Amino acid sequence: MKQEYTLTIYTENQVGLINKIAIMFSRRKISLESLNTSPSEIEKIYRFTIVVKETETVVKNLVRQIEKIVDVFKVYCNTNDEIIWQQMALYKVPTAIIMKEVKVERLLREYGAKAVVIQEDYTVFEATGQDEEVNNLLQELDKFGLIEFVRSSRIAIIKSSEGIHKKVLDMEKNDPTKQPINNEFLNHKSVIFEM
Amino acid sequence: MKTTVRSLKEKTKTINTTGSLAVIDALLSEKADTIFGYPGGAIMPIYDALYDFKDKLNHILVRHEQGAIHAAQGYARVSGKTGVVFATSGPGATNLVTGLADAMIDSTPLVCITGQVFAHLLGTDAFQETDIINITTPITKWNYQVTDAKEIPEAIAKAFFIAKSGRPGPVLIDITKNAQLQLFDYIGYRPCIHVRSYRAKPNVRIAYIEKAAVIINQAKKPFVIFGQGVLLGNAEKEFQAFIEKAGLPAAWTIMGMSAIPTDHPLGVGMLGMHGNYGPNYLTNECDVLIAVGMRFDDRVTGRLDKYAKQSQIIHMDIDPAEIDKNIQTTVPVWGDCKETLPLLTHLLDKKIHREWFNEFEIKREKETTVVIQKELHPTEGGLTMGEVINILNELTGGDAVIVTDVGQHQMVTCRYAKQNKTRSNITSGGLGTMGYALPAAIGAKFGAPERQVIAIMGDGGAQMNIQELGTIMQFQPNVKILILNNSFLGMVRQWQELFHEKRYSFTDIQSPNFVQVAKGYKIDGRQVSKREDLRESLKQMLDHPSAFLLEVAVIHEDNVFPMVMQGKGVAEIILSKEEI
């Protein structure tokens, strides 16, 4: 049965890595529901959050193949109940209409949205939540002359994970070239060719 | 440019050197002795540096970059060393693509160094610019573009480490011309032994080995299937000890062939679509299937939902991604089989499964009666491929390196060739690359100069990289070229006959006079079509002091059997076309 899986991938910060990861999916004709990439809490280590709708067998295989990429540290794969996840959305609506409509204010309170910019001709609201909340607000604001809308990709925190810090340290322990020093390596400057 | 590497090494302090010289020093430090390559504009500085090291690095100038990479593959497969390839940017680099894909799927360690346009020209559609990094990403184990000479020593060190460690594979390093020319402070070469985000092999888990041992000890009908992992792990002895202690019948995949001698008493033959009858059939009758260093390729498994369903499965592999990829395992034994096999062997009971082994014998007899006898010992009609291989076995005694191309001759050769020594079977297994044999044989000869190397190919494959005869002419590797000419693209024709109502759509390929072509390259040759001349002509080929081309005209429309047809289970293997 296909369902949503959130993959959390920790990688070296290297040019072209997004392609190396993306082709793992495109080769199997799997489309990405969402993709986010950003620096992690550790300097020079990046975190990808990818959402796919697939069967367990396919995702399991994918995870192992992605982990095989030389510059990938670790891949976590979680179902929605194993993660805390959010996405952000921006809504642009005509200021004139919302000034008149009392309802809008109530809506915004209901959805925890806030105004980011208020201009004479338009106002931009921001809301954070899961698909349902973002979509509901979208439907509501559509009634008030929504001009533009954008949503971010999903970001997720894994409920059970100990984080990557310890894992990377463990990996460093296998490094026969030097004694692991707590956290110090993380500030090492030439990470790509760290040997 | 006058600086020599020797003088570089004598000084411990940094030295001003060029990127190109750093490339050469890296290769020397990695003990590379042979490079297969082809120069061009964007790699000229490296070739210029190479000029001063002709006595240390044997550069083989091929006739096409595809020839270079297949030669490097042959070299790597026969020697166990990492093959090194040079090519220029653009078309030079793209010509490597087939070989990279082949090396990737067959886990062959290669380091390919390509030239690239100046860094400031990247992305401008400069002359001979091609985005080779993105092109080769799915078909390399790792690739990296160097735009600054300072990165060269580390990049090449990492390339050699990644190519050879764990499950081997091809690595491509793309070096922009400015980096090759650039002067930088060189502190000497440090080999790479660790990449923090890369785990070459998984940790061995003793619990799984113990569990596997219990299952094998309880088995009534255990069956071992093994692949190239045994060869890549240099674990031939460990493997032999393993099967011999527990009396386990063992069958090889095409890539695993020659890890044990083909006439080993426990060897029951080859798996796969055109493998032997017994091992295919009995896969579905064993109670424990032990897969060692193999990846359950679809040509081996046939239809997956009819594959060894009755059996418990123990999968030993160095690549965790292979476990449960195609076949659900009962016990995964992760790790290098060089380490895991002795641990497992230690826990096994000494046994002989005589009755079970007998079943393989019975199947073997049936296959011999229906297929093998008339293939190897025909008395009338045209020459068969099998009888050529049979006589070759008698003449070589099974000591030669056999390099095959792709198609009917490949299946026939791998079915019948006798091989006593490890790393004797060089073929394009996973990718099925026609045109592989000739260049791979050239590389194999440089990788194992003391061994007899025989390239066996069909008339189709022979024409696909025929330009490499020029390489033989220039560098004189003593390779024997045996063309089994059936005037067809035989394997495709076989399928057309069996599954497409004999509609021979463009499989009737014409060939030049191969002997004349060879003669043009100053290579001696001979054509043979009569049974009475066969043995003597093969002997002439083998005894010839230099390269020799022998073209044997074989039956035009012969089929390779047995066969596991597409979409069928392994136990549905057929011995003749009447069974279809």
Side-chain angles (χ1 to χ4, degrees), chain A residues 12 14 16 19-20 23 27 42-45 57 60-61 64-65 67-74 168 171-172 174-177 185-186 191-195, chain B residues 133-134 137-138 141-144 146 151 153-155 157-158 162 167 190-199 203 319-326 328 334:
Chain A
E12 292 283 12
Q14 211 194 71
N19 185 35
K20 287 185 184 184
I23 60 173
R27 176 180 176 185
I42 307 167
E43 194 187 339
K44 301 261 174 115
I45 291 184
T57 336
K60 246 186 175 175
N61 259 322
R64 286 187 174 160
Q65 296 294 344
E67 263 192 350
K68 254 169 80 170
I69 300 172
V70 167
D71 302 298
V72 168
F73 284 95
K74 183 76 194 146
V168 173
M171 286 173 206
E172 282 294 302
N174 297 328
D175 181 347
T177 54
F185 78 96
L186 299 175
V191 172
I192 292 172
F193 292 109
E194 180 70 26
M195 280 183 273
Chain B
I133 292 295
N134 276 314
T137 292
K141 189 173 173 189
W142 185 66
N143 62 17
Y144 188 76
V146 173
E151 295 179 325
E154 288 93 338
K158 208 172 154 184
I162 290 169
R167 180 178 179 173
R190 275 190 313 162
C192 169
I193 47 169
H194 179 76
V195 176
R196 67 174 187 170
S197 59
Y198 165 70
R199 244 179 317 164
N203 294 333
D319 180 358
E322 290 300 341
I323 309 284
D324 291 343
K325 187 181 83 176
N326 296 332
Q328 285 294 315
W334 294 11

Side-chain angles (χ1 to χ4, degrees), chain A residues 46-70:
Chain A
Y46 269 61
R47 177 173 178 150
F48 286 70
T49 306
I50 295 176
V51 184
V52 288
K53 247 189 205 147
E54 261 307 330
T55 61
E56 195 190 340
T57 336
V58 171
V59 171
K60 246 186 175 175
N61 259 322
L62 253 171
V63 166
R64 286 187 174 160
Q65 296 294 344
I66 295 171
E67 263 192 350
K68 254 169 80 170
I69 300 172
V70 167

Side-chain angles (χ1 to χ4, degrees), chain B residues 232-277:
Chain B
L232 292 170
N234 298 317
E236 295 91 342
K237 279 199 189 107
E238 289 80 357
F239 179 76
Q240 218 158 306
F242 162 69
I243 57 170
E244 283 168 5
K245 184 169 181 194
L248 306 167
W252 52 84
T253 68
I254 195 168
M255 298 301 291
M257 189 175 172
S258 82
I260 59 171
T262 47
D263 56 3
H264 188 282
L266 287 167
V268 292
M270 187 172 79
L271 296 157
M273 186 173 257
H274 293 289
N276 289 108
Y277 188 57

